[in-house]
Amino acid sequence: MSYEEGIFYLVATVTVLGGLGVVLARNVVHAALFLIVALLGVAAVFLLLAAEFLAIVQTLIYGAAVTILVLFVMMLTRVRDVPQAVDGPQKPLAFVVGAALLGVLVLAAVSTDWGALGARESVQLVPLRDLGSSLFRFWVVPFILVALVLDVAMAGAIILARSEEGE
Amino acid sequence: MIGMEHAWLLPVLPFSSFVILLLVGKYLPRRGDWLAIGAMVAAFVLFLFMMADLLGELETGAEFEGVRSGIQWLPLEELGLEIRLGFLFDQLAAVMLAVVTFVGTLIVIYSMGYMKGDPRYGWFFAVMSLFLASMTTLVLADNLLLLYAAWEGVGICSYLLIGFWHERRPAAEAAKKAFITTRIGDVGLLIGIILLWREAGTFDIREIFEFARGGGYSPEYLTLAVLMLFAGAVGKSAQFPLHVWLPDAMEGPTPVSALIHAATMVVAGVYLVSRTMPLFDLADPVALAVVVALGLTTVMLSATIGLVQTDIKRVVAYSTINSLGLMMVALGAKSVTAAMFYLFVHGFFKALLFLASGNVIHGTERQDVKELGGLQSEMPLTALAFGVGVLSMAGLIPFSGFWAKDAILHAAQSHLNAAVVGWLSFSIFLTALYMARLYLLTFTGRPRDKHAHEHAHEAPPVMLWPVLTLAVLSTVTGFWAFDQVGEALGFPGGIGRFVFFEEPESFHFTAGTAAISIVAVVVGLAVALWAWGGEAAPARRLAETFRPVHNLLLNGYYIDRFYQWIIDRVVLLAGRTLAWFDRVVVNDTGVDGPAGLGVFWGYAMKFVQTGRLPNYALAIASGVVIIAIVVLAVRV
Amino acid sequence: MIPLEHFLVLGAILFSLGVYGVLARRNAVLIIMSVELMLAAVSINFVAFAGYIAPEEFRGLVFALFVITIAAAEVGLALAIVLRLFRNRTTSNVDEVDTLRW
């Protein structure tokens, strides 16, 4: 096992453990904390894939903004921090479906000949400058649209969440 | 000049009368009876013109094939079908039309008196007009399709007129019975027509004859077709076994019985066979043998049944069936002359008998001889006319019936066998017997119902004159058999030279046959006088002694009961089974089944909408997984 | 020198965990968190492909970037809905929100 692979396994283990915590934790707040772990793990994976900008963006947005948001909503919806039944009646079926999906995906990933599709041995580094210029040159239209989506989402969230008279 | 080419007007005149009466009849003065009568008078006058024209043609001595008129109605060459409103006027049609137009006119006039005061007076004349239009069309039709249409037309009018007083249950039932019974025959007729058309490719009668003479039909095929045609005649002309409707048809008003069920419609079967005689001739002899057999059976059946009936009109009805049987026997002997001669004179004396009965009914308001008797004194003229009718029907010389029956006997002797002649002679005896019985019980002897007798009165002139006219005609028309008489009137000779099949026939007066029939008649009359004269004691004793036979005859050999049993046990049973099948299998299972299934499925399916997000998410996820597995399997 | 399949398998595991979470959890907020997990897994896949198979034009990276952005917007909106739901029903248990049923 090479140096990189070892780090990969470490990061991967942490991420998976975080994911497991999200879906299995009894305590809701604990689940939120596990989410932070998982998402930061994903950021580390991005680093391993030589996408530093993406790792930073992931950390900032997910690790900070989204999780804060989640915790706030938990507070506002008065989730008890004592363990209670958080799993629904579909648990067994969900397990089956999840396992089946896992099997299919892993099978697909492993059995495909990635070499024939042009896979390289290692990852290419991505200069940030090139990424930026590409973003504003080739991908400018989706970029603007995404900005629009953010606007709408923000406005929508405000309208949905504000208090009415007498509430 | 008005001539034979105007034959198409003959049906048009009464038909127009019908249409007008139908639409505006109730607004016309006297409900428009004058319109119906006027149309018929005009038709008769037209007929006279046509006759004159015809006689003129015959005088030239050339081969006369009849004159055609009419229009093409629906040419459908792609189907090999051509529907033509075509009319053909020849000697055969002329004889028939003489009866139809003349007797028709007389009876419509008679109806003015008989139907007076009836709430549906106008409708009566309208349907009578329609009937006369259909009848003339039937006679004049030059193609089988039009003939069939007219055949059905007269059937409908018969139904409407028998059931004229349809508030009476028996009348409604009788009308139904008549229609259904003749319908059975009509199916045969239609099949026969289709069979003939199928090979010949045409409905035209003359063309079919050409085709048949040219050997276009195989003998078995032609025989079958001809027997099918005869089936129609069996129904319409009340031959055994479809004779059962005619006695019941007496529920209709007496003018209807006289016109339709004596003089014209019932003889349509005889006319049909006469018209298609060339086909019968070319077919296997078994066809004509069937005709003779059924005709003879009908003759004997009706004569014996009529002997014990007590309703005046029923007795006359059975005598009509008797006469129809005789005509069929004549046709079976291939003598169109004898049959048409009898048809001609029969039209007069049978109508006479019915109208005179109508006078009796009108005068006494009774129809059953058990309630009549001794009416000679109250209604002398009617009695006289009725007597003439009786003697003509019985066939006493010199009345017209004698000459016609003689012609039939002669034909039977020449072409059939002695057994037939024997039976016919016996039937002449029976006929004299029951006709005389009818006269004696109605007009002589002690009146059985004092009240009826006291109020009995002679008929009014409008009803009397037609009766007397017919009586005169019943006496003299028989002499048309002789060539001298015919030539004097402008005909090529006697009736035998006017209408014939293949060869003109002169009238032969053979002493042998004449003697047989005269003797039979006289003996019959004598026996009747003994049995029913005065107190009618001998008849009563005989009826008591032979009670079972008497009952058998009274019930018409229980044929009606038998038919009713078939209807109840077979037809209705089949109907009920089919109804059950339709209701349970087709409707409940076949139609409601899938519908119910759909409803049930909808109900079952709605439980999928639980409203819970996790359930929906599970469904989506499962679907995706399954598709992914399938794709993976297919790809790998 | 990490083979591509490793990243793909990691993405698969995280995705499956997310699916399980969406289907099994009761609390609406927990479901949303599981969705976040799924989106993150997808991003890993995209970036991995971008790194190993098609680095020109950085398609995978850009896509992952957009995924993150949209995910953030969606989370905000979803949580606003949960808040409103909570205000109306005093519950954030998705099993109890079932009026739109037969």
Side-chain angles (χ1 to χ4, degrees):
Chain A
M1 191 191 320
S2 72
Y3 203 15
E4 291 160 343
E5 272 191 66
I7 298 186
F8 172 77
Y9 281 127
L10 185 64
V11 170
T13 314
V14 169
T15 313
V16 170
L17 282 173
L20 278 169
V22 172
V23 299
L24 295 176
R26 302 264 115 237
N27 187 319
V28 182
V29 182
H30 289 178
L33 294 174
F34 274 117
L35 184 65
I36 299 177
V37 169
L39 293 175
L40 288 179
V42 170
V45 169
F46 284 157
L47 278 175
L48 277 171
L49 283 165
E52 299 104 359
F53 177 64
L54 219 53
I56 293 173
V57 168
Q58 171 87 357
T59 314
L60 275 175
I61 295 181
Y62 274 124
V66 171
T67 44
I68 298 293
L69 199 55
V70 166
L71 286 167
F72 255 106
V73 171
M74 280 185 190
M75 176 192 83
L76 287 172
T77 59
R78 308 210 188 117
V79 296
R80 306 265 167 70
D81 54 358
V82 294
Q84 58 169 10
V86 288
D87 287 340
Q90 284 191 155
K91 214 160 81 148
L93 272 171
F95 184 75
V96 168
V97 171
L101 193 61
L102 181 63
V104 169
L105 288 171
V106 167
L107 201 64
V110 162
S111 66
T112 317
D113 184 6
W114 297 109
L117 289 167
R120 291 175 180 70
E121 284 297 318
S122 62
V123 182
Q124 303 285 3
L125 216 62
V126 177
L128 191 56
R129 173 172 297 161
D130 293 342
L131 176 63
S133 67
S134 156
L135 194 63
F136 287 103
R137 198 184 305 159
F138 301 121
W139 306 107
V140 67
V141 174
F143 188 80
I144 303 292
L145 284 175
V146 165
L148 213 58
V149 168
L150 278 173
D151 267 331
V152 169
M154 193 165 66
I158 293 173
I159 294 172
L160 276 176
R162 73 176 170 177
S163 307
E164 306 273 334
E165 298 285 312
E167 253 185 338
Chain B
M1 203 41 229
I2 301 179
M4 295 183 280
E5 60 275 10
H6 295 105
W8 57 272
L9 264 179
L10 273 178
V12 166
L13 284 167
F15 187 73
S16 325
S17 156
F18 164 69
V19 172
I20 297 176
L21 286 176
L22 187 69
L23 295 173
V24 298
K26 58 176 174 239
Y27 305 113
L28 296 171
R30 287 179 60 98
R31 301 298 177 94
D33 57 4
W34 46 269
L35 188 63
I37 295 172
M40 279 319 293
V41 170
F44 180 61
V45 169
L46 171 63
F47 169 72
L48 290 174
F49 272 102
M50 285 163 61
M51 243 344 230
D53 194 11
L54 174 62
L55 291 175
E57 277 294 323
L58 288 176
E59 257 172 27
T60 63
E63 265 291 312
F64 184 70
E65 285 285 312
V67 171
R68 293 203 178 211
S69 52
I71 53 171
Q72 210 189 41
W73 194 3
L74 213 62
L76 295 167
E77 279 95 22
E78 318 85 53
L79 298 172
L81 204 60
E82 195 213 330
I83 302 180
R84 225 182 98 82
L85 279 177
F87 304 105
L88 175 68
F89 184 74
D90 64 356
Q91 298 96 312
L92 186 65
V95 172
M96 188 80 184
L97 282 173
V99 176
V100 172
T101 51
F102 184 70
V103 177
T105 310
L106 278 183
I107 291 183
V108 180
I109 294 176
Y110 179 91
S111 306
M112 273 205 298
Y114 193 87
M115 301 301 293
K116 187 161 136 176
D118 192 288
R120 281 198 299 274
Y121 187 77
W123 175 241
F124 182 83
F125 284 92
V127 184
M128 285 291 253
S129 300
L130 182 63
F131 169 78
L132 287 161
S134 303
M135 194 67 215
T136 43
T137 308
L138 197 157
V139 172
L140 286 169
D142 75 349
N143 63 76
L144 288 174
L145 202 59
L146 183 61
L147 189 142
Y148 184 75
W151 191 273
E152 294 298 329
V154 298
I156 276 285
C157 295
S158 170
Y159 168 83
L160 288 171
L161 288 168
I162 295 175
F164 188 72
W165 291 312
H166 52 72
E167 302 83 8
R168 289 193 63 230
R169 194 65 215 241
E173 294 288 323
K176 216 168 43 167
K177 184 171 175 178
F179 195 76
I180 293 177
T181 314
T182 51
R183 203 89 190 88
I184 298 175
D186 293 350
V187 171
L189 177 61
L190 187 60
I191 293 176
I193 292 177
I194 292 177
L195 282 175
L196 288 172
W197 167 74
R198 222 169 127 250
E199 296 293 320
T202 173
F203 287 108
D204 189 275
I205 296 180
R206 285 282 153 88
E207 281 174 29
I208 290 181
F209 288 169
E210 289 288 320
F211 187 77
R213 287 199 191 102
Y217 300 109
S218 75
E220 303 82 24
Y221 189 86
L222 184 60
T223 309
L224 179 66
V226 142
L227 279 174
M228 287 285 118
L229 289 181
F230 184 60
V234 166
K236 215 36 132 220
S237 292
Q239 299 297 299
F240 173 83
L242 295 175
H243 64 282
V244 292
W245 64 272
L246 196 53
D248 284 20
M250 298 300 113
E251 290 287 337
T254 308
V256 171
S257 309
L259 182 60
I260 299 185
H261 306 124
T264 49
M265 187 186 93
V266 292
V267 295
V270 176
Y271 180 75
L272 176 69
V273 177
S274 304
R275 201 19 112 212
T276 52
M277 186 55 84
L279 293 177
F280 278 88
D281 187 40
L282 286 167
D284 196 280
V286 75
L288 285 174
V290 169
V291 174
V292 172
L294 287 183
L296 205 52
T297 314
T298 309
V299 166
M300 299 314 299
L301 199 75
S302 53
T304 46
I305 297 178
L307 207 47
V308 304
Q309 300 298 317
T310 53
D311 182 310
I312 300 186
K313 287 179 66 176
R314 269 184 107 88
V315 176
V316 185
Y318 277 107
S319 81
T320 305
I321 302 179
N322 196 342
S323 302
L324 290 168
L326 279 176
M327 288 188 255
M328 283 303 177
V329 171
L331 286 172
K334 284 203 229 181
S335 178
V336 171
T337 308
M340 290 309 287
F341 186 32
Y342 194 92
L343 189 151
F344 182 67
V345 301
H346 172 266
F348 298 120
F349 67 67
K350 199 46 65 72
L352 163 64
L353 283 169
F354 270 113
L355 292 187
S357 308
N359 283 0
V360 171
I361 297 170
H362 187 86
T364 61
E365 295 185 14
R366 302 274 189 282
Q367 326 201 142
D368 200 306
V369 295
K370 293 202 282 274
E371 297 165 344
L372 296 169
L375 287 173
Q376 248 174 321
S377 42
E378 310 300 320
M379 320 172 73
L381 289 171
T382 300
L384 178 67
F386 198 92
V388 169
V390 161
L391 293 175
S392 193
M393 172 74 206
L396 186 67
I397 199 172
F399 296 98
S400 56
F402 166 74
W403 306 102
K405 278 204 187 160
D406 196 71
I408 296 181
L409 274 178
H410 189 83
Q413 203 175 44
S414 324
H415 292 104
L416 301 171
N417 53 56
V420 174
V421 176
W423 282 111
L424 285 180
S425 311
F426 183 52
S427 83
I428 294 179
F429 165 70
L430 285 176
T431 306
L433 202 61
Y434 72 74
M435 287 311 295
R437 163 184 177 264
L438 185 63
Y439 181 84
L440 290 168
L441 286 177
T442 309
F443 291 102
T444 67
R446 228 166 8 96
R448 277 161 276 258
D449 184 335
K450 279 277 166 16
H451 180 84
H453 188 81
E454 262 152 45
H455 286 83
H457 53 86
E458 187 59 271
V462 75
M463 287 167 66
L464 201 50
W465 278 106
V467 168
L468 293 175
T469 314
L470 287 171
V472 169
L473 286 169
S474 299
T475 317
V476 304
T477 41
F479 297 115
W480 192 19
F482 296 103
D483 288 332
Q484 300 86 330
V485 174
E487 276 159 21
L489 291 169
F491 288 89
I495 188 167
R497 292 200 182 276
F498 184 62
V499 72
F500 51 83
F501 176 63
E502 279 181 358
E503 287 297 319
E505 302 172 18
S506 269
F507 187 74
H508 318 272
F509 193 83
T510 22
T513 39
I516 296 173
S517 62
I518 295 178
V519 165
V521 172
V522 170
V523 171
L525 291 174
V527 172
L529 207 59
W530 165 77
W532 286 287
E535 297 291 317
R540 259 192 280 274
R541 276 199 311 262
L542 277 169
E544 278 307 313
T545 327
F546 297 102
R547 183 136 288 268
V549 177
H550 189 254
N551 280 342
L552 179 71
L553 295 178
L554 203 56
N555 284 303
Y557 295 92
Y558 296 110
I559 294 181
D560 272 307
R561 283 259 203 106
F562 175 62
Y563 286 162
Q564 189 61 44
W565 180 88
I566 291 186
I567 291 176
D568 286 339
R569 288 300 154 126
V570 179
V571 176
L572 288 180
L573 183 68
R576 272 194 288 273
T577 314
L578 285 174
W580 172 88
F581 180 79
D582 181 62
R583 198 182 54 246
V584 174
V585 176
V586 175
N587 191 55
D588 290 349
T589 317
V591 175
D592 285 351
L597 199 66
V599 168
F600 170 74
W601 192 250
Y603 175 79
M605 281 290 100
K606 78 172 175 179
F607 294 107
V608 171
Q609 308 291 329
T610 60
R612 296 203 183 140
L613 271 169
N615 297 144
Y616 297 164
L618 180 64
I620 295 173
S622 315
V624 170
V625 167
I626 290 172
I627 292 177
I629 293 176
V630 168
V631 168
L632 199 61
V634 167
R635 197 169 60 88
V636 167
Chain C
M1 251 13 80
I2 308 165
L4 175 61
E5 289 88 348
H6 283 50
F7 288 106
L8 298 183
V9 169
L10 174 63
I13 295 174
L14 286 176
F15 191 80
S16 308
L17 284 175
V19 168
Y20 172 79
V22 167
L23 297 177
R25 298 299 233 169
R26 259 195 190 169
N27 194 314
V29 183
L30 285 175
I31 293 178
I32 293 172
M33 281 159 47
S34 304
V35 172
E36 289 306 306
L37 203 54
M38 285 160 71
L39 287 166
V42 166
S43 304
I44 293 179
N45 260 39
F46 272 117
V47 176
F49 282 132
Y52 281 84
I53 297 183
E56 63 278 354
E57 287 190 13
F58 321 109
R59 279 205 193 107
L61 290 180
V62 172
F63 210 102
L65 198 62
F66 286 148
V67 165
I68 293 173
T69 319
I70 301 288
E74 168 245 323
V75 162
L77 218 41
L79 289 173
I81 292 175
V82 170
L83 268 177
R84 181 139 282 276
L85 184 68
F86 179 75
R87 285 211 198 109
N88 280 342
R89 302 292 175 88
T90 336
T91 178
S92 44
N93 186 342
V94 293
D95 279 334
E96 291 172 18
V97 185
D98 62 355
T99 51
L100 211 59
R101 67 182 209 151
W102 64 266

